[in-house]
Amino acid sequence: MGASEQARRHGPQVLDDGVSFSLWAPSASSVELLESDQPPRPMLRDDDGWHQILSPTAHVGTRYQFKIDGELIVPDPASFFQPDDVSEPSEVIDTTALRDAILYPERPWAEAVIYELHVGTFSNEGTYAGVEKRLGYLRSLGITAIELMPLNDVPGRHNWGYDGVLLNAPNARYGRPEDLKRLLQAAHDLDMMVYLDVVYNHFGPQLNYLHSYAKCFFSDRHRTGWGPALNLEGKTGVFVRQFLIENALMWLRDYGFDGLRLDAVHALKDESGKHFLVELAETIRGRLAGRNAHLMLENEANQAHLLERPKGQVGLYNAQWGDDFHNALHVLLTAEDEGYYRAFADKPLEHLVRSLVEGFAYQGEVFPLHGTPRGQPSAHLPPEATIFFAQNHDQVGNRALGERLSTLISLDKLKQVMVLLLLNPHIPLLFMGEEAAADTPFLFFADWSGEAAELTREGRRKEFSDFRAFSTPEMRARIPDPCEEQTFQASKLDWTTMDTSPISAELRALTRELLKIRHENIVPLVKEGIVSARGDVLGKHDRTGGLNVRWQTAKGETLQIVTNFGSGKLPMPALAKGEKLWPPQPSTEQLLLPTQIVVQLSMPKKPRERPASESLDRGLDHPAANDVEVRDLSEGEGGAMEAPAQPKNVARDD
């Protein structure tokens, strides 16, 4: 295969007669290849700004860099590995050699129980091998998928991963590409899926040289909260899209990841005829024939059209992270009402029930923090279109002191949360250590230096200046410095404590028991298909009451969850006749006690076939005292909460 057949592909391509190097550098007049132990070689430039050369002396393992306009020496922005950090020479890696001869058959999406972890802080080793050692433990709990926070290489010794500079290069701090591949193979051997968090909305603030030789990689029309937006529009935007799509395909096809979680897609600014998110999903599903990659979104805009199920099948994306569920639940558990919790503090129970019943709490209503409408109608989507969690890296790590729920609420509430999270039909996600009530913080950390470190430090403190607990400079001085080594070290899981603590043992046993119940009773309902859902708010006060939610399948099976978030007793609502999934012991209690949660599953006497024309009925019922009802918005019935219509084929940034 000659170099001409490898034209316009980002990154080195290993060929029979050498290695083809390509760099899209439209802002550069000249580019030279600096190959180890070889003299500089000029690269040929075409009209679109691609610089290319075939090196007959290069091979797998060769180190190389590029020299821009005779002065600036840079790594390959599409480097597949950086053994000595992001500013040093790149290493030629043949990622096609990592591909599996026999593909792992991904588990059905309905079976996903996701465990999010940060490779550097999950284990004592802070490596892929350290994660691999704990896979058996996670599998024994009932975890079916691990989700790795971003691996793309970043400057320095430690970082969350969301400030990526070289998107194709897995961070050398965790091991070599071969070590990452072994982790995936070990997980697959245990019938566990592996997902990867990827960031396509911005690059990190240090050692990103793209501005120097590919200015049009970034948009001059749009900005994000992290700086210039990537250019996804027009002729030059085609090459940026290609770069990102090739990255996604590399993780899925070459390394064998079973799915991707796309970070903050609301920050992808794109007014093209076909939004990048649509092209990305269509390309992945078209190019990976025989694979059923699970694609997930973090999307503040609550864009339901990206989650549509044409003919009952996933179209573009499997699911979106359910921040609305988390935010409402957190307000109920902690009474916190600052920051983004303010948008859920007025009626947290109503927001929580609507999330359980319809996926999103905000479906076109004005969002208090922005003063503009947020979201699209989601009542017609199945529960598995949203991923629910009580904690994740954001919700813990974006707190000033990185506290977990285990340090904020009682053990009884922790148990209540675990039952609610794992026995509802939405896809559950646990954050590393949550199953063992870990009390180590998860702080924001990055290994910046110079001005970037100072800006990060001060920006972190300024971020919390409006919070009562950090309203003075003295209070803000308590916020850990993100760039200190101790901040990173403090965020590591303490496995010694987790392995010996009675509370950890109790929570682990609970998690294991609940996931067994989920696998045997909830997953079959999700696979069969939930066709209707309704919910009640219990009690007279939205902050001190409870909820009663029922989901029904086409065969008439009903799953019911009843729980009390208040400090007083509530009347026990009528329970569906059938099997009590939780608690395991029988109860004749006529009152619903604080933190009590009951999960019932009833089976119909005569299973009913659901006509194809029958519409999906999801609503949020309140008792007469509240007298509010949200109907199925997909039926066009309108009502106080009906959201404005949105285009179905183009993603929008609301």
Side-chain angles (χ1 to χ4, degrees), residues 74 113 181 449 463 512 572 647:
V74 301
V113 176
K181 181 63 181 182
S449 58
E463 180 182 351
R512 186 176 291 109
M572 181 73 75

Side-chain angles (χ1 to χ4, degrees), residues 130-288:
V131 177
E132 185 178 342
K133 289 180 181 179
R134 299 280 178 177
L135 288 178
Y137 156 72
L138 295 176
R139 189 69 190 91
S140 71
L141 288 173
I143 301 299
T144 62
I146 60 172
E147 179 174 312
L148 308 181
M149 288 172 62
L151 302 178
N152 47 208
D153 213 348
V154 296
R157 298 161 296 171
H158 43 257
N159 191 289
W160 274 17
Y162 296 90
D163 296 306
V165 173
L166 302 176
L167 301 193
N168 288 344
N171 196 324
R173 299 288 172 179
Y174 305 148
R176 289 189 56 83
E178 298 85 356
D179 300 320
L180 173 58
K181 181 63 181 182
R182 275 193 291 272
L183 170 60
L184 271 80
Q185 289 174 327
H188 290 163
D189 287 344
L190 292 172
D191 200 17
M192 294 176 66
M193 299 178 287
V194 187
Y195 302 145
L196 179 63
D197 200 340
V198 293
V199 185
Y200 295 150
N201 53 65
H202 74 291
F203 281 83
Q206 274 197 336
L207 299 181
N208 172 22
Y209 299 104
L210 284 167
H211 295 277
S212 302
Y213 54 82
K215 291 183 174 63
C216 50
F217 207 96
F218 301 91
S219 173
D220 56 5
R221 300 178 59 230
H222 307 296
R223 292 189 65 82
T224 74
W226 303 281
L230 271 64
N231 174 27
L232 301 171
E233 302 166 335
K235 181 179 179 180
T236 53
V238 170
F239 301 120
V240 180
R241 286 176 179 242
Q242 178 192 3
F243 179 86
L244 300 178
I245 291 173
E246 286 179 4
N247 174 261
L249 289 171
M250 178 200 72
W251 295 121
L252 295 166
R253 178 191 57 212
D254 298 349
Y255 282 93
F257 279 93
D258 303 290
L260 301 175
R261 180 260 191 189
L262 277 63
D263 180 67
V265 299
H266 50 271
L268 290 167
K269 310 295 183 179
D270 183 10
E271 297 177 2
S272 305
K274 177 180 286 189
H275 194 281
F276 167 71
L277 285 175
V278 176
E279 181 180 359
L280 175 65
E282 288 180 347
T283 303
I284 288 173
R285 302 207 180 280
R287 295 272 295 276
L288 298 183

Side-chain angles (χ1 to χ4, degrees), residues 63-66 73-76 79 81-91 153 166 207 209:
R63 304 287 183 92
Y64 68 100
Q65 293 171 295
F66 298 122
I73 296 177
V74 301
D76 187 346
S79 166
F81 190 53
Q82 295 291 121
D84 303 313
D85 213 355
V86 296
S87 61
E88 302 302 313
S90 306
E91 178 180 330
D153 213 348
L166 302 176
L207 299 181
Y209 299 104

Side-chain angles (χ1 to χ4, degrees), residues 299-308 354 358-365 373-381 633 641-654:
N299 190 359
E300 187 180 294
N302 278 2
Q303 292 167 311
H305 72 267
L306 294 171
L307 310 174
E308 296 291 348
R354 196 182 195 200
E358 301 182 8
F360 302 158
Y362 281 90
Q363 302 180 27
E365 298 77 32
R374 171 178 176 245
Q376 298 172 349
S378 59
H380 60 292
L381 296 174
L633 301 183
M641 294 190 176
E642 184 168 358
Q646 301 284 8
K648 291 189 177 181
N649 59 338
V650 179
R652 292 179 49 187
D653 295 301
D654 292 330

